[in-house]
Amino acid sequence: EALARIEAAVSDDDLGEGPTLSRFLTARPPTATQGDVFEATARQTFGTKFALSCNSGTGALHSAMVAAGVGPGAEVIVPAIGFLATAAVVVLARGVPIFCDVDRSLAMDPAKIEPLITPRTVAIAPTCVMGGVPDMDPILAVARRHGLKVIEDCAQSPGAKYRGRHVGTLGDAGCFSISAYKIVGGGEGG
């Protein structure tokens, strides 16, 4: 009798068919999860081969840092001004954030990057600020010259373009946020 009451309380039978955000087998397997739809939309919008939805823009940045090989002692050059997440995910991946001065746009100053590079540097994380876009060509040139990954933090500029290309598609990984207070808000996600 107790088990029947518990099953009735947690049953989702009354929800019927439809989308679900889960990516695991449920009592009502969907034809496509909302996560799948979100990723397909991102791939189509940005013209990329891959897209991975995360719980937040911070989660997306953390995933990109780990994928780029950030680990104990690895250094990532991040802007000195911006949201805490860009530097915090480097620490979360057990790396060391190296702060780069910004220019008048509040984005990483490309002229200040090269002196910060050491043998431990593995990536550069240029960050879009309030809809603005960093000067990516010189940043990418420095990264390529030194064999560094470029992880674009585009949380504040989804849809922005640099010389006709969407931000987030210029470097090795692009990370976005759809937090409720971002330019494109959708509750929470990245």
Side-chain angles (χ1 to χ4, degrees):
E1 184 179 311
L3 185 56
R5 285 196 317 269
I6 292 170
E7 287 175 350
V10 298
S11 172
D12 62 2
D13 291 339
D14 62 325
L15 298 178
E17 296 296 318
T20 176
L21 292 173
S22 65
R23 292 189 175 270
F24 49 87
L25 187 61
T26 64
R28 53 183 187 91
T31 55
T33 67
Q34 288 299 89
D36 294 333
V37 173
F38 180 61
E39 290 170 355
T41 301
R43 286 191 304 273
Q44 180 181 8
T45 300
F46 298 108
T48 60
K49 188 175 180 180
F50 302 103
L52 174 67
S53 58
C54 298
N55 66 325
S56 64
T58 302
L61 281 167
H62 181 236
S63 297
M65 293 293 170
V66 171
V70 177
E75 295 176 350
V76 178
I77 299 172
V78 300
I81 294 178
F83 187 62
L84 171 68
T86 314
V89 296
V90 176
V91 175
L92 185 60
R94 300 179 59 185
V96 179
I98 304 298
F99 295 97
C100 180
D101 285 335
V102 298
D103 58 22
R104 296 183 83 153
S105 72
L106 299 180
M108 184 181 287
D109 185 343
K112 307 285 177 134
I113 297 171
E114 208 144 16
L116 301 174
I117 297 172
T118 74
R120 294 177 303 280
T121 307
V122 298
I124 302 172
T127 303
C128 297
V129 179
M130 297 180 279
V133 178
D135 190 5
M136 291 300 295
D137 283 344
I139 293 171
L140 292 166
V142 169
R144 299 307 175 238
R145 218 172 16 256
H146 293 275
L148 304 175
K149 298 292 184 191
V150 175
I151 300 169
E152 297 178 72
D153 178 351
C154 309
Q156 295 184 23
S157 298
K161 292 186 176 181
Y162 176 83
R163 300 191 180 189
R165 289 186 58 195
H166 282 285
V167 295
T169 65
L170 303 162
D172 297 290
C175 303
F176 298 90
S177 174
I178 57 167
S179 176
Y181 58 89
K182 292 295 192 306
I183 291 171
V184 176
E188 192 61 62

